[in-house]
């Protein structure tokens, strides 16, 4: 099992749109994927669960992945989070 | 049998979503109603219930895949994407696990338990005030109804009750319902909700089913079997019409059908004046699927392909590959005629949900069109890249919106060159000589048209904004709407200057604003020597008819006379008279 601390970087936090992106990517892997925030754990393949975390910008989450393709899944998901879920922000929003 | 007294006629105003006049019987779609009863299970029934639930899940999954591929064939890529979230919500492991656990724990039937579980999540989603969430709630409801029907033994979908030709009336049509509409049986449809660009309206237009949406309460007022008139041209629905209004509409329908037939005869004739002067007639498109109907109306090319839909119908920026495919598909369809792609014109009133725009006091004078693109080169370059790659699939040209000064043209061309360089270095094919044009819609650009024309291959006049900016009057503001005239003399003069400036520098000048589609303006525009008019597809045959009925020399005289007039009232009266004497037809 792999575990890694990640920080939500996009200004709107892990809301609906980023959560959808996350679940889309997570669903591609066989491994079990969990995100936890302050002990509350969400199934990374459940949109309902991920949205319910309501993680704002700057929030630290623990990403746990367990299974045959855990290494690949970790790389993909960490990249997604660091790329702010591929959602473009304008200059104004960043301020 | 007791006879009811005739039902009262009710006239409803809605939004014209897809044109045509249809008279028929109502088929009321009551897709919203699902009945779920609570049942206790015996301990030995539980495992069978869970099996049933899993089976229903599989069935639903297959149905959704099927719908998705139908949507793809009927509507294209956009249609397919509408169903993206459906699968994700159906297969949500938390919802599934909770349902199965509760079936075991409570020993209750699957449809009841699933309903309760989804209801809980739906409520928590509904609390969030966010357009994106609301969209997911609608998807979740759609998925819920579908799965519950399947658990209950695959009860027929409500539309399967439609056995003969009828007008479908519903509160709203979900994408999955719209895509299943059978053109053989659905003569038209009317809904309470929805707007001109809701999924159902877009699909109706591409399937050519006349429809009126946004009537507010037609589904409450109508019952199956009622007589209903759908006027998809004016956005009206008339329920239980009196004999006299029925007659009126029978006549209107005949006229409309006759006119459509007449106009289709015009389709393959050139848009040429009596003395042999050609003026190119092309179409404005908001969506790629309108291209088929534009060609059917006789458009020779697309003079304005608005690309905002690609950005507004997605929840993130479009992928380059996806965008390139969309452009290439349309370019192929209209080739060898041109496809003029206008680069992204967001800001003002239309913004994608994933790009946050600053609060502006005066958004139409603010950060929109080329101004936004030049400051967001990543977005701009990606679009240019997609356009350039599509340029090998047909006759593609680039049109830059909201240009107000020379510097913007230089900067934009510079960025285009950078993208060309990147493609060259990657050995990706594109048309190196792609034509670049600018919209003339800001008065400063119109005044400087001669100098701007030196930098580009063509000019395209956008009259909607040009009128708004020239008269400093917002068309949507009722207090000043009366200032915003159809043929303001100031704007006609500006147009003349722009055409002359362009021709002096040897570039062609077109028009893609609403004025180009206005039959009252056609003779003036022909006389002013515009090279191209890009019009809304449905208006094209009539404009062509006008052009074919006059000589260019006569049109020149008419436009000269109109341009000497001092007020728009005077011009309008003059043009109405000219129109009436020539065509024996009044103009609305």
């Amino acid at each position: 099992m792999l575990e890694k601390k990640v920080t939500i970087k996009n200004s709107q936090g892990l809301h609906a749109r980023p959560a959808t992106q996350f679940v889309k990517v997570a669903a591609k892997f066989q491994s079990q994927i969990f995100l936890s925030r302050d002990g509350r754990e969400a199934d990374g393949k459940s949109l309902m669960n991920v949205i319910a975390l309501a993680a704002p910008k700057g929030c630290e989450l623990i990403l746990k992945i367990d299974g045959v393709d855990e290494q690949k899944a970790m790389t993909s998901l960490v990249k997604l989070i660091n790329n702010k879920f591929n959602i473009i922000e304008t200059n104004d929003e960043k301020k | 049998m007791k006879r009811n007294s005739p039902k009262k006629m009710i006239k409803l105003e809605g939004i014209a979503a897809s044109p045509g006049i249809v008279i028929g019987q109502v088929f009321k779609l009551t897709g919203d109603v699902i009945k779920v009863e609570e049942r206790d299970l015996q301990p030995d029934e539980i495992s069978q219930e869970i099996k049933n639930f899993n089976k229903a899940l599989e069935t639903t999954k297959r149905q959704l895949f099927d719908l998705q591929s139908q949507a793809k064939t009927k509507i294209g890529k956009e249609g397919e994407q509408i169903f993206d979230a459906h699968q994700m919500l159906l297969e949500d492991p938390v919802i599934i696990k909770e349902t199965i656990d509760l079936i075991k724990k409570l020993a209750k039937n699957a449809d009841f338990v699933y309903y309760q579980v989804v209801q809980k999540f739906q409520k928590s989603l509904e609390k969030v005030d966010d357009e994106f969430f609301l969209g997911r709630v609608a998807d979740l409801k759609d998925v819920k109804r579908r799965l519950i029907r399947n658990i209950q033994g695959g009860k027929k979908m409500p539309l399967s009750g439609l056995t003969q030709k009828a007008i479908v009336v519903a509160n709203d049509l979900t994408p999955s319902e719209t895509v299943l509409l059978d053109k053989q049986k659905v003569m038209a449809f009317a809904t309470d909700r929805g707007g001109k660009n809701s999924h159902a309206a877009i699909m109706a237009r591409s399937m050519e089913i006349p429809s009126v949406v946004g009537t507010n309460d037609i589904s409450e007022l109508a019952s199956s079997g009622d007589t209903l008139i759908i006027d998809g041209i004016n956005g009206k629905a008339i329920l239980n019409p009196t004999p006299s209004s029925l007659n009126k509409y029978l006549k209107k329908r005949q006229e409309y059908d006759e006119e459509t037939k007449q106009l289709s005869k015009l389709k393959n004739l050139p848009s040429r004046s009596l003395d042999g002067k050609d003026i190119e007639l092309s179409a404005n498109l908001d969506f790629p699927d309108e291209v088929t109907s534009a060609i059917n109306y006789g458009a020779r090319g697309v003079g304005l392909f608005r690309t905002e839909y690609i950005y507004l119908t997605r929840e993130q920026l479009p992928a380059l590959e996806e965008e390139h495919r969309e452009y290439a598909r349309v370019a192929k369809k209209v080739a060898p005629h041109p496809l003029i792609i206008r680069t992204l014109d967001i800001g003002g009133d239309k913004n994608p949900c994933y790009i946050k725009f600053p609060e502006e006091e005066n958004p139409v004078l603010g950060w929109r069109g080329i101004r936004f693109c030049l400051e967001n080169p990543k977005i701009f370059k990606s679009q240019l890249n997609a356009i350039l790659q599509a340029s090998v699939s047909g006759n593609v040209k680039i049109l830059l919106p909201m240009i107000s000064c020379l510097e913007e043209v230089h900067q934009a061309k510079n960025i285009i060159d950078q993208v060309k360089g990147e493609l060259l270095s990657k050995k990706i094919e594109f048309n190196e000589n792609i034509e670049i044009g600018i919209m003339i819609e800001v008065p400063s650009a119109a005044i400087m048209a001669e100098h701007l024309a030196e930098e580009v291959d063509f000019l395209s006049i956008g009259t909607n904004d040009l009128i708004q900016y020239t008269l400093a009057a917002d068309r949507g503001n009722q207090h000043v709407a009366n200032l915003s005239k159809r043929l303001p003399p100031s704007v006609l003069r500006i147009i003349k200057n722009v055409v002359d400036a362009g021709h002096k520098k040897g570039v062609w000048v077109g028009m893609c604003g609403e004025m180009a589609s206005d039959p009252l303006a056609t003779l003036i525009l022909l006389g002013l020597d515009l090279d191209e008019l890009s019009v809304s597809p449905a208006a094209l045959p009539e404009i062509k008819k006008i052009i074919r009925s006059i000589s260019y020399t006569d049109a020149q005289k008419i436009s000269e006379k109109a341009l000497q007039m001092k007020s728009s009232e005077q011009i309008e009266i003059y043009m109405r008279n000219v129109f009436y004497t020539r065509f024996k037809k009044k103009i609305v």
Side-chain angles (χ1 to χ4, degrees):
Chain A
M1 193 183 74
L2 298 175
E3 223 183 282
K4 196 174 163 81
K5 207 189 258 178
V6 290
T7 309
I8 299 298
K9 295 176 176 168
N10 49 313
S11 60
Q12 294 183 329
L14 189 55
H15 277 306
R17 215 158 292 118
T20 311
Q21 296 296 336
F22 186 89
V23 174
K24 235 187 219 173
V25 175
K28 289 181 193 158
F29 298 99
Q30 285 179 29
S31 301
Q32 288 191 303
I33 296 170
F34 295 99
L35 267 176
S36 64
R37 177 186 179 193
D38 309 331
R40 272 196 298 143
E41 201 164 70
D43 182 334
K45 295 181 183 181
S46 162
L47 181 58
M48 292 300 157
N49 250 207
V50 176
I51 286 175
L53 283 179
K57 182 182 178 175
C59 182
E60 285 192 342
L61 300 172
I62 296 172
L63 181 56
K64 281 187 214 162
I65 307 182
D66 188 12
V68 283
D69 49 6
E70 55 188 27
Q71 192 55 55
K72 276 185 181 166
M74 184 59 89
T75 318
S76 293
L77 290 167
V78 169
K79 195 173 152 206
L80 182 72
I81 294 169
N82 288 339
N83 283 347
K84 303 181 185 179
F85 303 93
N86 300 328
I87 292 166
I88 298 284
E89 298 179 4
T90 60
N91 294 333
D92 193 68
E93 198 181 5
K94 283 179 204 150
K95 289 168 205 161
Chain B
M1 208 172 89
K2 209 174 116 189
R3 276 194 70 141
N4 292 325
S5 57
K7 288 188 181 171
K8 204 172 170 288
M9 173 165 90
I10 304 170
K11 289 187 182 178
L12 293 148
E13 296 273 339
I15 296 157
S18 177
I21 290 176
V22 173
I23 302 169
Q25 237 92 63
V26 170
F27 176 85
K28 208 158 118 178
L29 193 64
T30 44
D32 281 314
V33 189
I34 39 163
K35 260 198 199 147
V36 178
E37 279 161 15
E38 181 176 351
R39 271 188 299 116
D40 289 318
L41 300 177
Q42 298 303 318
D44 58 336
E45 290 174 320
I46 291 177
S47 71
Q48 184 57 42
E49 191 69 9
I50 292 169
K51 267 188 201 155
N52 286 347
F53 176 68
N54 283 323
K55 213 176 121 201
L57 267 177
E58 285 307 312
T59 314
T60 316
K61 218 188 274 185
R62 274 200 311 275
Q63 286 174 345
L64 285 177
F65 271 121
D66 190 41
L67 274 176
Q68 198 160 16
S69 64
Q70 279 198 43
K72 196 180 173 184
T73 357
K74 285 191 187 171
I75 302 136
K77 195 85 194 157
E78 296 153 64
E80 189 185 11
Q81 278 169 349
I82 294 172
F83 293 98
D84 257 3
H86 282 61
Q87 293 283 10
M88 200 187 283
L89 291 166
L90 176 70
E91 293 173 46
D92 194 304
V94 170
I95 296 182
I96 294 174
K97 184 167 182 297
E98 200 168 327
T99 306
I100 293 176
D101 288 352
L102 279 174
I103 295 173
K104 286 184 197 159
K105 199 173 140 205
L106 305 171
K108 302 271 186 200
N109 50 316
D111 46 341
F112 172 76
V113 174
Y114 179 74
Y115 184 83
Q116 303 297 330
V117 172
V118 173
Q119 218 55 16
K120 188 183 79 185
F121 285 110
Q122 197 178 307
K123 286 227 172 77
S124 67
L125 278 186
E126 274 167 345
K127 274 188 224 140
V128 188
D129 185 22
D130 176 319
E131 208 183 314
F132 182 85
F133 269 96
L134 292 177
R136 297 296 76 76
V137 173
D139 294 344
L140 188 60
K141 280 185 185 163
D142 202 10
V143 166
K144 174 180 74 182
R145 284 207 293 268
R146 207 161 264 287
L147 182 57
I148 285 177
R149 276 198 208 98
N150 284 328
I151 297 173
Q152 295 174 341
K155 266 196 203 158
K156 282 184 181 161
M157 301 305 274
L159 264 170
S160 59
L162 185 61
T163 49
Q164 53 191 17
K165 282 192 162 202
I167 300 174
V168 170
V169 170
N171 174 257
D172 198 1
L173 286 172
T174 62
S176 65
E177 284 160 343
T178 318
V179 79
L180 285 174
L181 296 179
D182 176 358
K183 234 198 121 180
Q184 300 303 316
K185 290 182 191 133
V186 180
M187 304 163 74
F189 71 76
T191 58
D192 299 342
R193 306 171 55 161
K196 190 129 197 148
N197 290 322
S198 55
H199 289 316
I202 295 168
M203 293 189 192
R205 280 195 294 274
S206 59
M207 291 156 74
E208 296 189 354
I209 299 175
S211 50
V212 174
V213 299
T215 59
N216 194 37
D217 50 5
I218 191 162
S219 77
E220 310 266 328
L221 301 166
S223 322
S224 284
D226 283 353
T227 303
L228 178 65
I229 299 172
I230 295 293
D231 177 350
I233 305 157
N234 301 305
K236 285 180 183 161
I238 296 144
L239 192 60
N240 303 312
T242 57
S244 77
S245 35
L246 193 59
N247 276 331
K248 195 177 109 191
Y249 269 96
L250 281 168
K251 223 180 122 197
K252 267 198 181 178
R253 183 177 68 181
Q254 203 186 354
E255 281 168 10
Y256 178 80
D257 292 346
E258 185 55 34
E259 206 174 355
T260 320
K261 220 165 81 193
Q262 285 298 325
L263 294 176
S264 74
K265 282 190 195 155
L266 268 174
K267 185 185 149 186
N268 295 315
L269 299 172
S271 51
R272 181 174 295 158
S273 70
L274 292 175
D275 49 357
K277 159 120 179 138
D278 283 328
I279 178 164
E280 206 63 69
L281 275 185
S282 52
N284 295 340
L285 300 189
D286 286 305
F287 296 98
D289 297 289
E290 292 165 350
V291 69
T292 317
S293 101
I295 293 170
N296 284 338
Y297 280 118
R300 284 164 56 91
V302 173
L304 171 65
F305 183 34
R306 301 186 175 97
T307 55
E308 289 73 59
Y309 83 93
I310 299 186
Y311 296 81
L312 296 174
T313 54
R314 279 174 178 67
E315 279 140 9
Q316 66 197 71
L317 277 174
L320 171 65
E321 186 48 30
E322 215 176 348
E323 200 175 356
H324 157 223
R325 269 202 310 265
E326 294 265 298
Y327 297 152
R329 187 158 67 95
V330 186
K332 265 187 206 144
K333 274 203 173 159
V334 296
H337 303 303
L339 169 68
I340 301 180
I341 304 178
R342 183 179 72 186
T343 60
L344 189 57
D345 188 13
I346 50 170
D349 50 357
K350 7 171 210 196
N351 300 319
C353 51
Y354 49 86
I355 300 175
K356 257 239 149 63
F357 274 80
E359 282 279 327
E360 291 183 293
E361 286 229 353
N362 220 336
V364 274
L365 300 182
W367 203 38
R368 49 173 295 203
I370 197 74
R371 305 168 179 185
F372 170 83
C373 285
L374 291 175
E375 278 188 48
N376 287 279
K378 233 173 144 178
I379 299 178
F380 192 36
K381 277 186 171 174
S382 171
Q383 182 177 34
L384 290 167
N385 191 323
I387 298 174
L388 283 165
Q389 287 196 46
S391 66
V392 288
S393 303
N395 180 2
V396 175
K397 305 178 201 283
I398 299 174
L399 179 59
L400 305 167
M402 277 300 285
I403 293 289
S404 63
C405 60
L406 195 63
E407 290 79 356
E408 285 168 342
V409 182
H410 285 155
Q411 283 177 46
K413 279 174 68 180
N414 200 348
I415 293 179
I416 294 172
D417 285 339
Q418 287 173 30
V419 179
K420 282 182 174 176
E422 283 161 27
L423 289 173
L424 273 177
S425 68
K426 286 185 195 155
K427 299 210 163 55
I428 298 172
E429 248 193 301
F430 65 98
N431 171 13
E432 285 182 44
N433 301 317
I434 190 165
E435 280 190 27
I436 300 168
I438 52 172
M439 293 274 297
I440 300 289
E441 53 190 335
V442 179
S444 60
I447 293 166
M448 298 298 285
E450 195 179 322
H451 303 285
L452 297 175
E454 287 177 350
E455 301 291 324
V456 294
D457 302 298
F458 65 95
L459 307 175
S460 186
I461 303 172
T463 52
N464 306 4
D465 278 329
L466 186 58
I467 292 177
Q468 152 159 292
Y469 292 142
T470 303
L471 299 168
D474 171 7
R475 289 193 298 175
N477 178 345
Q478 51 165 341
H479 301 291
V480 295
N482 64 327
L483 286 171
S484 199
K485 296 286 196 277
R486 252 165 119 169
L487 302 170
S490 52
V491 175
L492 293 181
R493 282 164 206 227
I494 291 179
I495 293 169
K496 183 180 162 38
N497 291 339
V498 173
V499 177
D500 293 347
H503 289 173
K504 194 170 161 194
K505 295 293 169 189
V507 305
W508 62 269
V509 184
M511 177 182 284
C512 60
E514 248 166 55
M515 193 186 282
S517 309
D518 182 356
L520 204 58
T522 311
L523 296 178
I524 302 181
L525 301 177
L526 175 66
L528 286 179
D529 199 17
L530 272 132
D531 301 283
E532 179 233 30
L533 297 178
S534 188
V535 306
S536 62
L540 196 141
E542 171 148 36
I543 303 294
K544 193 195 265 185
K545 209 165 131 188
I546 297 172
I547 293 168
R548 291 179 55 82
S549 67
I550 191 169
S551 69
Y552 174 56
T553 29
D554 280 358
Q556 273 181 312
K557 282 177 202 149
I558 292 167
S559 71
E560 265 165 37
K561 194 153 177 205
L563 258 87
Q564 283 160 12
M565 295 177 176
K566 295 174 193 129
S567 78
S568 44
E569 277 73 23
Q570 229 182 334
I571 300 174
E572 251 192 62
I573 292 167
Y574 170 64
M575 289 313 295
R576 277 177 199 283
N577 283 333
V578 170
F579 202 82
Y580 190 72
T581 19
R582 289 192 166 258
F583 304 107
K584 297 285 168 276
K585 197 173 139 190
K586 279 192 186 146
I587 222 163
V588 260

